[in-house]
Amino acid sequence: MKGRVLDGGALVLADGDSVATALEDLDAGREVRDGDRAVTLADDVPFGHKFALDPLSAGETVRKYGEVIGRTTAAVAAGEWVHTHNCESTRGRGDVAAEVER
Amino acid sequence: MRREFTGYRRESGRIGVRNHVAVLPTSVASSCVARGIAAEAGAWARATPHQMGANQPDEARAQTERVLVGVGRNPNVGAALVVEFGTEDIDAADLADRIARDGKPVETLSVREVGGTAAALQRGRTALDSLNEAAADARHESADASELVVGVECGGSDATSGIAANPAVGDACDRLVAAGGTASFSETPEFIGAEHVLAERCADEETRRRLLDRVERREATADLMGVDLRGAQPSPGNQEGGLTTIEEKSLGAISKGGTTPVRGIVDYAERLPVGGGLVLMDTPGYDVESVVGKVAGGAQIIVFTTGRGSTTGNPVAPVVKVTGNPRTWERMRSNMDVNAGAVVEGDATISEAGERVFDEVLAVADGKRTGAETRRMEEFAITEVHPRELAEVRGK
Amino acid sequence: MTRNPHPDRRRVTPDSFAGHRRPDGRLGIRNRVLVLPSVICSHVVAEEIAAGSPGAVAAPHDHGCGQLGADAEQTERTLVGLAGNPNVAGTVVVGLGCETVRSDVVAAAVEERGLPVRELTIQDAGGTDACVDRGTAAVADLRESAAAQGTDGATATADEQTATLGDLTVGVVVDDLADSTRRHAYPLVAELVERVASAGGRVVVAGNERFAAHPEETRSLVGDAAADRLLDAAGRPARATRVGTEAAARGFDAATGFLGNAPVTGVAAYGQRVDETDAADAAAGAVTLLDAPSRVEEAATGLAAAGAHLVLHVTGQGTPAGHPIVPVVKLSGDADTLAAVPDDIDLDARETDADDLEAYLLAVADGDRTCAERHGLTEFAIARAGPST
């Protein structure tokens, strides 16, 4: 597997990524260690889903695979589940284009 | 690593891994007859029923023709029957000529000319039997991996796709390209957000320019519909599987093509080269339409990664299902062919999983049947150039 | 050439037929369990379930994923509409599990309308083999619960009920403006439309290109509000440009002369049920226009979703399409077509009068099979509102 496995339970795909991917269902409260820092999960994070490694402010870009995968729509604390409720696409936004046209 | 298999040598020089007789309707009006004829005949006959109309705008019709001719020319097809109702703009005789240029036995059948549905079902059956006899004459001979054109697809993706199954299939693609073969992946909407990575890998400026242009056009469909692409990309199932945005999905998706230079990007259903290295095709992300595009382009085998568990196949090309999700491998074992879940569990490296995929491709080329083949999963659909897109293109 | 394939069937009177009364009071003229894939990925499984279940029919289609916005909504609405057709005794919705048009959402919408439904996905079932088994059991389960309510027409005749023309919703699609169609078929269809309407039945008419070509006349026919819905939609570029071009060239009467003098009271969106439109109350005894193209494979689906019991397809070219859940009756006045595909055309418009046509439709409503039904022609299409993504 590419990337760096944390405590056998999560995967960071590239250095500088702001999120890690759960490799199993992770329960809220679990501590995941990444080198000398530790992140405590604020939410349950299902297998395949992501959580923030660092605190992110609203509108900040989210990075995975060493690339931008979207931006936050709200402030996200480290250990919070990151998904469609707090992260949006920056691409394919026909809805935004339609707003601008109006 | 095995490199040889036994296939069916065609007049064109290309090698087939199956020896089907294709039954190709020119429109939805003749699809039922085509399906009926093939169903009566047996598993060697493969129909491609579809929903395209008898009268399509020129651009849309040209694409439908390209798909049908391409499927007829696919080396897995030993002979073909083109079925028309008789009022279509597409001319069955013309399609048959284009397919027969490869030296393949091809017949046509017109429902109107033979006196209706019942008569067409009867006549079609007779025609198919003689075509099958002709196809049986194909030389069954040894061939090399360098002669394979493998289409790569992902569908029903989840987060394991980008971590395990796609990189494993990408590794297999690298092996195939090193062996001198052609690998092709497509699904242009799933380049969005990752196109800069692909662009850097393009072998020449022309390919790079075409790639970026195609991505821009696909992204514009979201503008056309006035909605967030996330209504469909990533799909609801992708989202349940942990994929949040199209960028995230794309970055995971492109790894299924491996790491070799991008040699070119062809249009939907356009002919893919033999011995061409990694070549992209511009298709929608909609799996069945995308797979059909690559089969029409000449792919003899499709390798299809799926995290959630997609079960679709194709009428003329075997579809090899690779899952990187250990739970899907457990739950849907009978529909899956290769387990890349071992990568997620830390029990295999990507390279080991890639070798397994490559070996499976060669075994399937040699005649091993895939789960989708055993279960006759033969979904077929042609992507339509929609009137809304045409209006946009013409407007510009 | 009016033919009756089952001359020994006996109806109570020549102007009645036996239908299947549903628990909610609706009357069906066929009694099938619909196995409805929500996406192409589950269509082979849906077909296998239907093939192994007596009295079930599958509606395999090419869509359900990679669709955006209004396009995805239209597919979903149409699937829900098909499940609501009165010929459907119950519906088993089959999904893959990860598609855009979700099987659980479709099933929930069907259930909300009080209709019998079961839902399953290939991914939940653990593969295609298990899904076929579960789906087959779901069909049997629907049949049994329908029987418990006394609506199983496959075994019981007690709930068969005598009905007449006014109980029908008749779908109409005319797929060309050929001379033979206008000369021979238009007057016949016009009279039938008037008869159905005056008997209190409903007529639903597809072919939006004909109206789009004549906005002013359409406005005066149905009023501005309803016309806007049809014309807005018609502002979208169409596929069947030929019908539109000819309709514009030949004038409104030549485009719509088959409507007769029956009142036109409403407009239904593609996939929408007529009894769920704004003008639902006025639909009985009148014509509702459907925002569906003239291409029969798409039109028949829209008409079935609108609630038509059967579809009258007027065709110069003789396009043979049928539909999984509604009988499609072919009427042609074209000499070449009638000579070329005689077994695929139910009625020769040149030799048929309105009494014959009415009698034929009632016989079909009574269970006689149309040419398309006898040939097993069920290939259909769902109109798209946008490109695949």
Side-chain angles (χ1 to χ4, degrees):
Chain A
M1 201 154 37
K2 274 183 194 159
R4 194 167 79 239
V5 177
L6 312 182
D7 284 353
L11 179 70
V12 182
L13 280 149
D15 289 336
D17 281 1
S18 45
V19 291
T21 302
L23 291 175
E24 57 194 38
D25 291 334
L26 301 175
D27 295 330
R30 174 161 167 179
E31 191 183 83
V32 180
R33 299 199 62 81
D34 180 15
D36 46 9
R37 68 175 170 171
V39 177
T40 303
L41 298 182
D43 305 296
D44 289 344
V45 181
F47 171 72
H49 287 242
K50 299 173 291 298
F51 59 88
L53 290 166
D54 307 306
L56 298 164
S57 53
E60 193 171 340
T61 54
V62 178
R63 300 183 78 87
K64 178 180 168 182
Y65 297 106
E67 305 283 344
V68 174
I69 63 159
R71 76 182 149 239
T72 54
T73 52
V76 177
E80 244 182 88
W81 178 40
V82 176
H83 200 31
T84 50
H85 60 290
N86 56 13
C87 177
E88 65 178 5
S89 287
T90 61
R91 303 288 300 275
R93 295 299 298 270
D95 55 333
V96 176
E99 275 300 313
V100 171
E101 237 167 67
R102 259 179 238 133
Chain B
M1 206 167 65
R2 170 184 187 165
R3 282 191 50 147
E4 294 200 333
F5 64 95
T6 307
Y8 301 87
R9 181 70 62 191
R10 305 298 175 201
E11 293 275 326
S12 65
R14 291 205 179 197
I15 192 90
V17 303
R18 296 293 182 268
N19 199 27
H20 298 309
V21 177
V23 187
L24 310 166
T26 60
S27 78
V28 63
S30 47
S31 283
C32 221
V33 169
R35 190 201 282 261
I37 296 169
E40 281 291 308
W44 49 268
R46 299 297 171 93
T48 62
H50 59 87
Q51 298 185 354
M52 298 298 114
N55 316 116
Q56 292 184 281
D58 290 346
E59 293 88 339
R61 192 190 70 234
Q63 181 152 299
T64 302
E65 290 184 357
R66 197 163 65 238
V67 171
L68 295 172
V69 170
V71 172
R73 292 180 71 194
N74 185 293
N76 292 351
V77 171
L81 177 66
V82 182
V83 185
E84 65 176 15
F85 175 66
T87 56
E88 292 94 340
D89 289 341
I90 295 179
D91 179 22
D94 171 58
L95 288 198
D97 287 347
R98 288 160 69 183
I99 296 168
R101 245 173 254 160
D102 281 353
K104 221 170 252 190
V106 188
E107 299 281 342
T108 62
L109 176 69
S110 166
V111 176
R112 266 181 79 102
E113 270 173 30
V114 301
T117 303
L121 287 168
Q122 258 178 3
R123 295 273 197 102
R125 185 59 218 279
T126 314
L128 268 198
D129 282 339
S130 71
L131 284 168
N132 191 34
E133 277 173 36
D137 291 342
R139 276 179 293 148
H140 206 204
E141 64 177 44
S142 180
D144 184 78
S146 62
E147 298 186 76
L148 285 177
V149 178
V150 173
V152 181
E153 181 78 19
C154 61
S157 298
D158 65 11
T160 65
S161 301
I163 297 171
N166 288 342
V169 170
D171 180 87
C173 285
D174 286 348
R175 290 168 193 265
L176 178 67
V177 170
T182 301
S184 177
F185 73 103
S186 61
E187 306 183 88
T188 316
E190 295 162 32
F191 301 166
I192 295 172
E195 68 269 52
H196 57 290
V197 182
L198 286 174
E200 274 175 28
R201 278 170 48 199
C202 286
D204 54 70
E205 182 55 29
E206 165 67 12
T207 302
R208 185 177 171 279
R209 198 188 49 73
R210 270 168 64 86
L211 168 74
L212 294 175
D213 173 61
R214 295 313 168 93
V215 173
E216 195 177 315
R217 272 161 57 176
R218 293 281 172 184
E219 191 171 7
T221 58
D223 291 347
L224 188 69
M225 301 302 285
V227 295
D228 188 347
L229 192 64
R230 193 153 77 178
Q233 284 280 20
S235 76
N238 297 155
Q239 293 180 29
E240 272 175 29
L243 296 175
T244 305
T245 65
I246 183 62
E247 299 93 310
E248 182 184 15
K249 181 174 176 178
S250 297
L251 288 159
I254 62 166
S255 62
K256 67 184 178 286
T259 58
T260 63
V262 176
R263 299 284 171 196
I265 175 166
V266 301
D267 282 335
Y268 183 78
E270 199 185 330
R271 194 89 152 150
L272 292 160
V274 173
L278 178 64
V279 180
L280 308 185
M281 181 181 282
D282 178 25
T283 73
Y286 190 30
D287 302 333
V288 176
E289 293 179 354
S290 170
V291 165
V292 164
K294 282 171 290 194
V295 172
Q300 302 107 321
I301 295 178
I302 300 292
V303 178
F304 190 127
T305 68
T306 181
R308 308 283 292 172
S310 158
T311 56
T312 55
N314 180 268
V316 304
V319 175
V320 178
K321 286 281 158 67
V322 180
T323 186
N325 186 325
R327 298 175 199 184
T328 299
W329 176 255
E330 280 302 314
R331 288 177 48 74
M332 301 181 68
R333 178 73 191 82
S334 61
N335 295 102
M336 299 293 125
D337 299 294
V338 181
N339 179 16
V343 172
V344 173
E345 291 174 322
D347 295 335
T349 63
I350 283 168
S351 169
E352 285 164 353
E355 188 173 353
R356 244 177 260 167
V357 173
F358 186 83
D359 288 347
E360 186 72 8
V361 166
L362 267 291
V364 167
D366 200 48
K368 180 179 177 184
R369 295 172 80 206
T370 67
E373 280 185 297
T374 310
R375 285 167 183 74
R376 299 290 310 265
M377 309 302 286
E378 294 168 11
E379 293 83 354
F380 188 88
I382 296 171
T383 198
E384 182 187 27
V385 181
H386 192 270
R388 279 174 100 139
E389 286 176 298
L390 277 182
E392 282 280 304
V393 172
R394 287 173 178 166
K396 284 171 188 167
Chain C
M1 189 181 62
T2 49
R3 64 165 81 85
N4 182 351
H6 302 285
D8 49 339
R9 272 187 80 106
R10 288 280 177 270
R11 279 173 280 141
V12 182
T13 60
D15 58 357
S16 69
F17 67 91
H20 307 273
R21 185 67 67 181
R22 309 261 167 246
D24 60 3
R26 292 174 312 140
L27 189 86
I29 65 165
R30 296 291 184 272
N31 199 32
R32 293 166 181 154
V33 171
L34 174 63
V35 185
L36 184 65
S38 66
V39 64
I40 191 172
C41 308
S42 50
H43 96 189
V44 174
V45 164
E47 285 181 299
E48 287 184 18
I49 293 169
S53 307
V57 62
H61 59 85
D62 286 0
H63 316 299
C65 206
Q67 292 184 270
L68 273 175
D71 183 40
E73 285 160 20
Q74 178 160 298
T75 298
E76 187 173 304
R77 187 169 65 235
T78 304
L79 298 181
V80 173
L82 289 176
N85 184 283
N87 294 346
V88 173
T91 303
V92 176
V93 187
V94 188
L96 173 61
C98 50
E99 60 274 11
T100 303
V101 176
R102 308 288 302 236
S103 50
D104 52 353
V105 173
V106 171
V110 174
E111 190 162 30
E112 203 174 286
R113 286 160 174 76
L115 303 170
V117 65
R118 302 286 184 275
E119 185 263 342
L120 65 165
T121 71
I122 295 172
Q123 286 168 1
D124 279 348
T128 51
D129 296 349
C131 192
V132 170
D133 290 345
R134 284 200 202 177
T136 309
V139 174
D141 179 42
L142 269 180
R143 277 279 177 211
E144 274 169 33
S145 56
Q149 293 172 35
T151 62
D152 191 355
T155 54
T157 50
D159 57 320
E160 286 202 354
Q161 186 157 341
T162 300
T164 61
L165 194 64
D167 293 307
L168 288 177
T169 298
V170 176
V172 176
V173 54
V174 182
D175 68 9
D176 59 58
L177 282 90
D179 288 347
S180 64
T181 294
R182 284 182 292 122
R183 184 178 317 133
H184 301 297
Y186 271 26
L188 261 181
V189 177
E191 185 161 351
L192 181 88
V193 168
E194 288 169 7
R195 286 187 187 193
V196 173
S198 63
R202 296 166 176 171
V203 178
V204 189
V205 174
N208 49 15
E209 310 89 345
R210 294 167 188 272
F211 300 95
H214 301 283
E216 278 179 32
E217 290 86 344
T218 301
R219 285 184 185 287
S220 67
L221 187 68
V222 294
D224 282 337
D228 278 343
R229 289 201 299 281
L230 192 62
L231 297 171
D232 276 359
R236 299 184 306 238
R239 284 190 199 77
T241 47
R242 241 173 245 179
V243 172
T245 310
E246 286 189 29
R250 293 179 189 272
F252 188 65
D253 290 343
T256 63
F258 58 89
L259 288 175
N261 293 314
V264 179
T265 54
V267 169
Y270 191 89
Q272 187 179 25
R273 274 167 57 170
V274 165
D275 58 9
E276 292 181 353
T277 63
D278 298 344
D281 294 342
V287 173
T288 300
L289 304 182
L290 176 67
D291 179 22
S294 293
R295 183 156 86 95
V296 61
E297 294 86 358
E298 290 170 293
T301 304
L303 292 167
H309 292 98
L310 50 78
V311 169
L312 177 59
H313 174 208
V314 180
T315 176
Q317 297 193 321
T319 308
H323 196 275
I325 62 172
V326 291
V328 178
V329 174
K330 308 279 172 187
L331 174 69
S332 181
D334 184 277
D336 290 344
T337 290
L338 287 158
V341 289
D343 292 343
D344 290 300
I345 307 297
D346 293 88
L347 296 164
D348 179 346
R350 300 168 307 176
E351 296 177 8
T352 304
D353 63 20
D355 287 344
D356 297 334
L357 177 56
E358 180 184 336
Y360 194 88
L361 294 187
L362 288 171
V364 168
D366 195 55
D368 281 4
R369 293 192 300 160
T370 65
C371 292
E373 285 184 295
R374 276 183 279 126
H375 291 136
L377 300 180
T378 56
E379 212 78 24
F380 71 103
I382 298 174
R384 291 287 297 267
S388 296
T389 186

